[in-house]
Amino acid sequence: MNELYSFIRDIVLPPLLEGTLVTLQLIVLSIPLGFILGILIAVGRVYGNKIISFFCTIYVLFFRGTPLLVQLFILYYGLPSVGIFFSPFVAAVLGFILCSSAYHSEYIRGAIQSIKSGQMMAAEALGMSRNQAILYVILPQALRRAIPGCSNEIIYLVKYSSLAFMVTCVELTGAGKIIASRYFEYTLVFAVVGAIYLLMVSVITKVLNTLEKKLEIPGIG
Amino acid sequence: MPKDETNEVVLKVEEIYKNYKGKEVLKGISFEVRKGEVKVIIGPSGTGKSTLLRCLNLLTVPDKGRVYLEGEEITHAKKNIHQFRQKIGMVFQDFNLFDHLTALGNVEIGLTRVKKMEREKAREKAQEELRRVGLEEQANLYPAQLSGGQKQRVSIARTLAMDPKVILFDEPTSALDPELIGEVLEVIKNLALQGMTMVLVTHEMGFARSVANEIIFMEEGKILESGPPAQLFSNPKYERTRQFLHKITELYGE
């Protein structure tokens, strides 16, 4: 028993924690940037002119319609052939931002479209420009309504960040894979890996729920 | 209320036409509103009254015709339209309060975001406008926590805060429970007494009679006739007007 404990503590955990640090960096960058890009895509789709709206639709179609892994491969292995090079970490973050923004945008678009048209009308009647109305009236309401959906996407992102390993960015799952094959201890190592993901997701869920409560307004949601 | 012919024209509407999907909704509407005047537009539903109001601040763009605010043409204003809209208040049938803001926030937002007023000044003014409609106590409640009548009064305060030259009311009491109508009409009546220039679409005939300088009877996208309430009620030119007034008075009471 003691042997197992020190094996975990001395051999398994150090590389896993290093991997966790990389995973955290991946998601700390991807979550907010993906969310913000998602807002822009959603607004572009609903309020943009024909060209912008069409571009946003194609964007969502592409990033939702192809496997994330394929997107990462294109970013990391494909783009160098046209002279664009990304480090594994940057390629992974870019891929996550692009992909999660497509999903976020759909949650946000749905929320925007659920806002009654009278809100925009009242804002414009008050003298707001369309952009002001979107910024000060539509989005504050729509984003609140989109929180549950977007939370879902954020939690997904924590887990699909493991795909970064496929473009040689050694994050938590990758670190687990390396240490597991070295000692041939798959069950043990991945149990620990799973526990760390569960911990991260629990914390993020807690944060998102608190945020949702904090932003709650009677009559919206 | 006596109509002073020498007062300047605030709003001038010239030959407004509007089509919706091939159906002519407005067929050449013209009228003008002088400072301090209250015009009430009545007519059967589906006659284009709401569309007409929305054409006045270009929420709906008319196909033909012109609208002038204090002598300046606002149709074809394009980019400047936001500046004109600040001066034309609008009160909607279903209130359209901003659901994410408190009563105070609703009144304030036009001041801070559109007029770029300092936050403190805006707050003061917003509180004052809420007091004017008798809702200073409800300042921190959200729309979902207000009754229909209170919501409509907040929306009137929101409009008043912008110091509009004219306020357009689109059936302001039609979505209200009967017992809440009075408080809203009371507020509007007070505005009339204070000399606010207003255009109202309403079915409240007793109210129309008491506040209007002129009643405009619209039917099928046209103004059939118009005149002072006394004349329209007692001696209308057309049988159709008489019929309508009779029916609506029976339905909604005096």
Side-chain angles (χ1 to χ4, degrees):
Chain A
M1 200 61 205
N2 246 346
E3 229 170 274
L4 178 68
Y5 175 71
S6 59
F7 175 70
I8 292 179
R9 192 191 57 197
D10 301 332
I11 309 290
V12 176
L13 268 188
L16 288 190
L17 290 182
E18 252 171 68
T20 305
L21 207 63
V22 176
T23 294
L24 285 175
Q25 287 170 349
L26 284 170
I27 61 177
V28 160
L29 284 169
S30 311
I31 288 173
L33 293 176
F35 183 64
I36 291 167
L37 186 58
I39 297 173
L40 296 177
I41 300 290
V43 169
R45 234 180 131 175
V46 180
Y47 296 110
N49 61 27
K50 271 194 187 134
I51 298 166
I52 292 174
S53 180
F54 177 75
F55 173 80
C56 294
T57 309
I58 295 296
Y59 178 95
V60 173
L61 181 69
F62 177 79
F63 285 103
R64 282 204 313 170
T66 57
L68 175 57
L69 192 55
V70 172
Q71 295 162 22
L72 290 174
F73 281 166
I74 291 174
L75 281 168
Y76 186 67
Y77 296 112
L79 290 186
S81 66
V82 292
I84 303 172
F85 296 87
F86 292 122
S87 71
F89 181 81
V90 171
V93 168
L94 268 181
F96 297 157
I97 290 173
L98 295 174
C99 179
S100 77
S101 70
Y103 283 94
H104 279 308
S105 80
E106 283 296 274
Y107 291 119
I108 296 165
R109 182 173 68 97
I112 289 175
Q113 285 170 338
S114 76
I115 308 276
K116 276 183 282 168
S117 63
Q119 297 283 311
M120 175 61 90
M121 221 196 291
E124 291 195 305
L126 215 50
M128 287 191 199
S129 66
R130 184 140 280 226
N131 288 344
Q132 284 179 318
I134 293 170
L135 198 58
Y136 302 131
V137 174
I138 303 297
L139 284 181
Q141 298 182 42
L143 292 183
R144 281 183 169 88
R145 287 191 190 179
I147 289 176
C150 290
S151 300
N152 207 27
E153 172 56 26
I154 286 167
I155 286 163
Y156 251 126
L157 171 60
V158 174
K159 293 179 292 174
Y160 65 60
S161 70
S162 61
L163 286 177
F165 185 47
M166 303 304 286
V167 290
T168 74
C169 174
V170 182
E171 39 60 74
L172 177 55
T173 306
K177 177 92 192 326
I178 291 167
I179 200 81
S181 16
R182 186 176 303 153
Y183 294 91
F184 212 69
E185 280 284 2
Y186 286 92
T187 312
L188 176 71
V189 170
F190 282 110
V192 178
V193 167
I196 295 176
Y197 275 112
L198 190 59
L199 182 69
M200 284 195 286
V201 168
S202 305
V203 171
I204 289 177
T205 305
K206 180 81 189 141
V207 170
L208 289 171
N209 284 346
T210 312
L211 188 72
E212 191 178 344
K213 282 239 169 62
K214 206 157 184 183
L215 293 176
E216 203 173 52
I217 282 173
I220 294 190
Chain B
M1 265 147 278
K3 180 163 106 182
D4 186 353
E5 290 290 347
T6 59
N7 269 356
E8 55 182 305
V9 174
V10 175
L11 197 67
K12 189 171 168 194
V13 184
E14 259 179 23
E15 290 291 301
I16 294 284
Y17 285 84
K18 182 69 191 173
N19 274 305
Y20 267 126
K21 292 172 187 155
K23 191 177 172 278
E24 253 193 329
V25 184
L26 298 176
K27 306 171 189 170
I29 302 277
S30 304
F31 63 90
E32 48 181 53
V33 187
R34 287 169 189 278
K35 196 162 189 269
E37 205 179 9
V38 179
K39 292 240 160 163
V40 170
I41 302 174
I42 59 171
S45 49
T47 301
K49 303 182 300 279
S50 296
T51 307
L52 173 61
L53 276 197
R54 285 205 292 272
C55 280
L56 301 186
N57 63 356
L58 267 72
L59 282 181
T60 296
V61 182
D63 299 332
K64 258 199 292 185
R66 290 159 196 272
V67 179
Y68 299 87
L69 181 72
E70 296 187 316
E72 276 184 275
E73 187 181 348
I74 70 167
T75 25
H76 313 114
K78 301 258 185 249
K79 282 202 168 152
N80 290 333
I81 187 62
H82 313 303
Q83 274 145 38
F84 286 113
R85 285 197 189 124
Q86 292 178 36
K87 300 180 196 162
I88 305 176
M90 188 162 213
V91 173
F92 300 88
Q93 180 175 344
D94 35 15
F95 332 124
N96 293 336
L97 287 183
F98 304 131
D99 291 327
H100 63 300
L101 297 174
T102 60
L104 190 66
N106 266 280
V107 183
E108 221 176 42
I109 191 170
L111 298 172
T112 53
R113 299 303 190 186
V114 179
K115 289 203 160 179
K116 312 280 182 203
M117 199 184 266
E118 277 170 54
R119 193 158 282 276
E120 239 163 73
K121 265 191 182 164
R123 176 136 303 187
E124 243 169 66
K125 176 137 174 78
Q127 273 161 345
E128 194 187 304
E129 298 299 349
L130 281 178
R131 206 170 301 132
R132 207 163 152 193
V133 297
L135 288 174
E136 66 267 52
E137 310 242 308
Q138 281 76 11
N140 294 317
L141 295 183
Y142 287 94
Q145 299 166 315
L146 299 171
S147 74
Q150 291 173 331
K151 280 186 217 177
Q152 194 58 298
R153 281 148 68 198
V154 173
S155 98
I156 292 172
R158 174 175 69 179
T159 298
L160 285 174
M162 301 298 284
D163 292 324
K165 303 290 180 191
V166 52
I167 305 182
L168 315 173
F169 289 85
D170 187 4
E171 300 199 31
T173 57
S174 294
L176 296 176
D177 290 335
E179 75 267 26
L180 301 177
I181 290 176
E183 59 186 83
V184 173
L185 294 184
E186 178 79 27
V187 168
I188 301 175
K189 206 168 194 169
N190 276 331
L191 291 179
L193 291 173
Q194 288 160 24
M196 179 60 76
T197 313
M198 301 191 276
V199 181
L200 281 123
V201 171
T202 184
H203 292 302
E204 298 290 332
M205 285 308 129
F207 173 71
R209 224 168 158 164
S210 66
V211 300
N213 301 107
E214 184 177 63
I215 294 186
I216 295 176
F217 178 58
M218 261 179 82
E219 189 170 56
E220 289 175 1
K222 280 189 189 148
I223 294 178
L224 192 64
E225 71 172 290
S226 63
Q231 180 201 318
L232 225 76
F233 274 88
S234 59
N235 194 15
K237 266 185 259 172
Y238 295 93
E239 181 54 26
R240 182 66 194 103
T241 314
R242 187 193 307 276
Q243 276 174 4
F244 176 80
L245 286 173
H246 181 72
K247 207 170 180 181
I248 203 97
T249 310
E250 217 171 52
L251 266 175
Y252 288 86
E254 278 289 314

